[in-house]
Amino acid sequence: MWKKSFLVFALVALMVGAVFAQSITFWTTEVESNRMQRIQALATIFEAQTGIKVNVVPVQENAVFKRFIAAKAAGTLPDIMEAGIEPLVLLGSEGLMDTQLNAEVINHFGDVYTGVKRLMYAGNGGYYGIPFHAWVQGIWYHKNWLDAKNLGAPTTWYNILEAAKELNDPAKGVYGFVLPKKADSYAEQVFTEIALANGARPFDAKGNVTLNTPQMIEAFRFYKALGKYSMPGFTTVLDALNAYLSGKAAMIFYSTYIMDDIAVSEVQKKRIHSFDPQLVKNTGFANKMMNIRTTSYGQVVGLGILKPSKDKSDAVKFAEFLMTGDNYIYWLHMAPGGMNPTRRSIATNPKFLDNEVLKRYGAAKIANIIAALDNVERFDFYNGKVVTKMSKLSSNFVIGKAINLMFANNWTPEQTAEWAQKEAERVLKSQ
Amino acid sequence: MNRMRRGTLERREAIFGWKLIAPTVIIISMLILYPVVYNIYISFFKISLNPEVPNQFVGLLNYVKLLTDSQFWRSFGVTIAFTLLTVAGSLVLGVGVALLMNRKFFGRGIVRALILLPYVTPLISIVFAWRFIFLPVNGPLVQFLASIHLMNPGTDIINNPNNAFLVVSVFNIWRNFPFVYLMVLATLQSIPDSLYESAEIDGANRWKQFTSITLPELYFILASIALLRGIWNFYKFDEVYLLSKFAGTLPIYIYNMAFTGIPRQGVAASAATILFVIMIASITLYVKKVLKW
């Protein structure tokens, strides 16, 4: 009897303790186990310093909304989450982000790059998220192959097409390009850069869909032409990565996440079972593209403090903890090259550059990549405003599907653009 | 006195009986009944993502939205076609293979076991295996077919959006025929040989034996399998979703409604409710008319 009542007492005490102990819930989209280990370590340090427990919950980026619905029903919504622009903006458009509090944290730091923070601007001085880390996309190319044929750097439409044509040699199993042709976000990311280089945008200033403008049609035309000198099939991101590393593709579109695949033997061996020590030296990176104008594309991952949170001050403390000094650098080194700092003081911190991968590229190249962040352009950001409608098109893969269908049905660029226009209007109407 | 005692005894037994099935009843109510009822309930609401904004009662608006959406009807048609094709396909293939396997030959035991593999292997691994063997240029099957000049090595069969329906249907038939085969084989083994012997004496040929003995004996098992596979395939989500974004069956439509972009749970719930009603109605009809219960 005594034992039983003690057990009940202990259970009640535990539950009361759990309710009253300070704790916050943190959702992260870095779900890989080695990344989770680092985040868990940071959470433990934070708890030791502040007494605030952080429940780290890994959530796949494309499952954010699915999990959100369940969490809302269970009353376990996160206080703060780490995610790319699209989920943060979509949640923000539903009034779920504390845009003013996010702004306060950004202002507190005072050295967040303007180029990245504008991409999360919510109007009225608020932000959908605090820019946390970012990557840039571009063309990674076998510089020695291009040099051997006297081809210019693939930064213009003309150079890209020329190089793809010259270096495409299917008989030998080598292709000019591996282009995304499947209906996924990779296709949209690549197409974005191409379209913006031609001044094409999916929305005009009034928010009308403009996927069938002459500039857009030209972009589809270029994409299709590039497809001629690409690996056959509806290839996607892993095909591109493997083909580049194993010397089957002259050029690919990829983010700076490729940097450790190129430079680190163990990482590369996991992909293709061999390692080319010369690859770092022989690889070039075109971080911008030009046809009628210059553009670059990238993604910013932010920390968003949620409006329904009941522990906002703790969430702020955690955000500041994550983006300060050694903690921040420890986080960024999870994926050197892929995760670049959004604070100026960290980007120039020698401790940040003291990393196996980053050292191989050298401080100048890293600085160059981070500098490109300031000029990043996206479909979901136009004229100083975040275009929330674009996130809806992205989550329905409208552009990816258009590209997939263009190659599958051999559609003309005009047909493709017309299909995309109709599909976009349909998606927006049904939302 | 005696009667009263018996009454209490009966009552006690009844109560005891209820106690025994209570856990099952409770679990089933929580896991099946509650979601079904809750699903019907939210189909009348516009569900807000924000806990500070209450859900808004919209009456039948979600249903109206759905029934006027051409995409819904398209998906509906695709689902019916998918269900009919895959059920018929796996039945024909399953029965055919079962008839072959019912004959005696060397190594029958191994072959019988091998045939079950598509059904028992985890879905995700066979989806990847299919994708791999059909890879353009590098896929083993594609290389083989290209070497005997049957196809162009650059063809990407699996990922071509135009093939989506065919790919998911063929995949489903291939994955599920062993289930049919297993059930049919078990039934075939229970048909007494004497029936075939006397038919032979009466001069019935192979085909006549099949249509007059085998098929009638198999009728109820085939009808039951068709019902089960019909229900399962009507709601099929996992493999269709894993294989293609373009297959466009109703479960995929509901999933897109519920979980992509800003979730529209209310609309998705009403789609699920419509499916539920259709399924219940057709199952009742089927059980009465075909299974003759």
Side-chain angles (χ1 to χ4, degrees), chain A residues 13-242:
Chain A
L14 207 72
M15 279 161 75
V16 170
V19 171
F20 286 100
Q22 272 181 305
S23 80
I24 54 170
T25 302
F26 172 56
W27 280 17
T28 172
T29 50
E30 314 300 336
V31 294
E32 294 86 346
S33 66
N34 51 347
R35 294 188 189 175
M36 274 301 290
Q37 274 172 10
R38 278 192 181 226
I39 299 170
Q40 206 68 58
L42 286 169
T44 311
I45 297 169
F46 180 69
E47 187 180 355
Q49 285 177 2
T50 60
I52 304 164
K53 189 176 157 41
V54 181
N55 305 313
V56 182
V57 182
V59 178
Q60 294 261 359
E61 174 127 351
N62 47 17
V64 164
F65 282 94
K66 209 159 109 183
R67 294 285 291 272
F68 204 88
I69 292 169
K72 185 202 157 198
T76 54
L77 281 179
D79 300 284
I80 174 168
M81 68 191 283
E82 182 244 18
I85 292 180
E86 296 89 346
L88 292 183
V89 165
L90 275 181
L91 288 171
S93 71
E94 291 286 293
L96 283 156
M97 284 295 161
D98 196 325
T99 54
Q100 297 305 322
L101 207 52
N102 289 335
E104 271 175 38
V105 177
I106 293 174
N107 295 335
H108 165 80
F109 290 133
D111 63 347
V112 176
Y113 288 110
T114 324
V116 290
K117 74 180 178 194
R118 78 199 151 103
L119 297 173
M120 295 201 175
Y121 188 59
N124 296 326
Y127 288 89
Y128 290 123
I130 308 149
F132 185 17
H133 51 90
W135 50 260
V136 188
Q137 172 185 276
I139 295 176
W140 299 83
Y141 57 100
H142 289 281
K143 201 167 174 300
N144 47 337
W145 301 7
L146 273 80
D147 289 347
K149 292 208 168 186
N150 264 331
L151 295 157
T155 49
T156 64
W157 275 21
Y158 179 81
N159 280 1
I160 295 167
L161 205 56
E162 274 299 301
K165 199 196 276 177
E166 281 294 315
L167 298 169
N168 191 42
D169 192 355
K172 285 193 185 146
V174 175
Y175 302 93
F177 239 103
V178 176
L179 204 60
K181 295 181 209 154
K182 228 180 144 174
D184 55 18
S185 31
Y186 176 48
E188 180 181 313
Q189 288 163 0
V190 167
F191 183 76
T192 301
E193 192 175 343
I194 288 172
L196 286 171
N198 199 41
R201 291 194 160 274
F203 294 98
D204 64 13
K206 285 182 200 143
N208 301 313
V209 183
T210 50
L211 279 166
N212 57 359
T213 58
Q215 294 94 316
M216 197 57 93
I217 292 170
E218 277 313 301
F220 280 118
R221 194 183 312 284
F222 177 73
Y223 203 101
K224 200 178 169 193
L226 211 51
K228 240 192 282 176
Y229 311 113
S230 296
M231 185 184 263
F234 300 93
T235 43
T236 182
V237 62
L238 275 182
D239 303 315
L241 179 62
N242 291 338

Side-chain angles (χ1 to χ4, degrees), chain A residues 69 72 95 183 234 395 409 430, chain B residues 48 50 156 162 245 261 264-265:
Chain A
I69 292 169
K72 185 202 157 198
F234 300 93
S395 55
N409 298 332
S430 75
Chain B
S48 137
N50 193 336
D156 191 340
N162 300 320
K245 282 202 178 68
R264 285 144 290 164
Q265 280 172 276

Side-chain angles (χ1 to χ4, degrees), chain B residues 116-264:
Chain B
L116 288 178
L117 278 181
Y119 191 66
V120 295
T121 314
L123 177 67
I124 188 74
S125 49
I126 51 176
V127 166
F128 276 91
W130 269 58
R131 283 195 186 159
F132 174 68
I133 62 169
F134 281 107
L135 267 185
V137 186
N138 299 320
L141 186 63
V142 170
Q143 279 180 348
F144 170 71
L145 291 174
S147 70
I148 51 172
H149 302 288
L150 268 179
M151 70 181 274
N152 175 354
T155 321
D156 191 340
I157 298 172
I158 298 274
N159 292 313
N160 188 329
N162 300 320
N163 297 347
F165 181 78
L166 208 66
V167 167
V168 294
S169 301
V170 169
F171 181 89
N172 186 281
I173 293 171
W174 172 81
R175 176 161 168 79
N176 290 313
F177 88 86
F179 174 76
V180 182
Y181 146 83
L182 199 65
M183 298 289 163
V184 171
L185 187 62
T187 320
L188 280 179
Q189 283 167 346
S190 70
I191 303 176
D193 284 342
S194 55
L195 286 180
Y196 291 103
E197 282 160 14
S198 41
E200 219 158 295
I201 291 166
D202 289 341
N205 61 17
R206 282 282 168 145
W207 177 248
K208 196 77 189 149
Q209 287 177 24
F210 176 70
T211 52
S212 305
I213 303 171
T214 316
L215 265 191
E217 290 284 333
L218 288 179
Y219 177 84
F220 283 103
I221 187 75
L222 286 182
S224 310
I225 296 172
L227 176 67
L228 282 179
R229 284 252 59 92
I231 296 171
W232 291 335
N233 286 0
F234 195 75
Y235 289 127
K236 195 78 195 151
F237 175 77
D238 45 6
E239 61 192 50
V240 179
Y241 188 73
L242 283 172
L243 278 167
S244 173
K245 282 202 178 68
F246 290 90
T249 56
L250 264 183
I252 307 276
Y253 174 88
I254 295 177
Y255 179 85
N256 284 340
M257 277 284 168
F259 299 124
T260 60
I262 291 170
R264 285 144 290 164

